[in-house]
């Protein structure tokens, strides 16, 4: 499928890479088809990817795997919500959180309260609001990434 995007121009996305969000995303409930796009122009792959709408070229959300921010991300999600994406086995789940990236990168935040959960087997996904009280909507992602780099010795 050929998609027009605001950030990447025209891109060719294989049909088996398109994710279906039966309930849309929070704030974008009418958009159902997305693909994850990586910035392949860089020599070193960025930890940040883009969740690109296949229906709205202007909508691309920066996303990151929560393990790039914290070691023990364990969101509590109602079983009923997981049924919307086929009730996947743990091994078939891939999770991301959205980022807010202002011009001052030191103020970059991640939304740990509303992760995107993907059933890789069925290519269905959902964004949920987790029950964990300690996960913030505006978690300081810049600081967390720096700490993880120090820990890894980068």
């Amino acid at each position: 499928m050929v998609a027009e995007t605001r950030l990447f121009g025209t891109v060719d996305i294989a049909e088996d890479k398109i994710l279906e969000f039966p309930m849309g995303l929070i704030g974008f409930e009418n958009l159902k088809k997305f693909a994850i796009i990586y910035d392949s122009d860089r020599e070193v792959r960025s930890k940040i990817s883009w969740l690109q709408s296949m229906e709205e070229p202007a909508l691309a959300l920066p996303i990151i795997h929560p393990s790039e921010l914290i070691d023990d991300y364990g969101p509590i999600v109602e079983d009923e919500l997981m049924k919307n994406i086929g009730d996947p086995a743990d091994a078939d789940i891939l999770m991301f959180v959205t980022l807010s990236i202002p011009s001052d990168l030191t103020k970059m935040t991640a939304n740990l309260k509303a992760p995107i959960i993907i059933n890789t087997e069925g290519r269905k996904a959902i964004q949920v609001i987790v029950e964990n009280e300690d996960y913030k909507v505006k978690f300081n992602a810049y600081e967390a990434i720096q700490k993880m780099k120090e820990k890894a010795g980068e």
Side-chain angles (χ1 to χ4, degrees):
M1 172 180 211
V2 175
E4 292 297 325
T5 70
R6 180 178 60 88
L7 295 174
F8 300 99
T10 303
V11 292
D12 192 14
I13 307 283
E15 285 291 331
D16 67 348
K17 299 294 183 197
I18 296 174
L19 303 170
E20 180 190 350
F21 282 73
M23 299 168 54
L25 290 173
I26 297 170
F28 302 99
E29 289 80 6
N30 60 326
L31 300 175
K32 309 290 186 191
K33 297 201 179 293
F34 289 82
I36 297 174
I37 297 179
Y38 302 92
D39 188 353
S40 60
D41 289 343
R42 296 180 176 202
E43 284 183 33
V44 178
R45 183 180 250 186
S46 172
K47 295 177 186 330
I48 299 171
S49 306
W50 296 86
L51 187 65
Q52 173 67 54
S53 169
M54 302 307 292
E55 299 152 310
E56 175 54 58
L59 181 62
L61 302 172
I63 58 173
I64 193 167
H65 193 278
S67 66
E68 299 291 348
L69 303 172
I70 59 176
D71 287 322
D72 56 351
Y73 186 65
I76 299 169
V77 180
E78 291 179 32
D79 291 339
E80 195 64 32
L81 291 172
M82 295 302 285
K83 290 179 182 172
N84 289 305
I85 59 170
D87 208 9
D90 288 349
D92 295 327
I93 292 175
L94 182 59
M95 200 172 311
F96 290 95
V97 294
T98 57
L99 293 169
S100 175
I101 306 175
S103 56
D104 179 355
L105 289 181
T106 64
K107 293 184 170 51
M108 177 174 47
T109 61
N111 184 348
L112 298 182
K113 191 72 173 170
I116 292 167
I117 302 171
I118 301 168
N119 175 352
T120 59
E121 188 65 30
R123 293 190 327 268
K124 288 193 174 197
I126 188 170
Q127 185 177 27
V128 298
I129 297 175
V130 299
E131 297 174 24
N132 306 64
E133 295 292 325
D134 52 337
Y135 291 152
K136 298 176 184 176
V137 172
K138 292 190 177 234
F139 175 79
N140 188 324
Y142 179 82
E143 202 172 274
I145 290 170
Q146 297 311 311
K147 284 180 184 173
M148 292 299 258
K149 281 181 179 179
E150 288 173 17
K151 189 174 167 182
E154 291 180 25

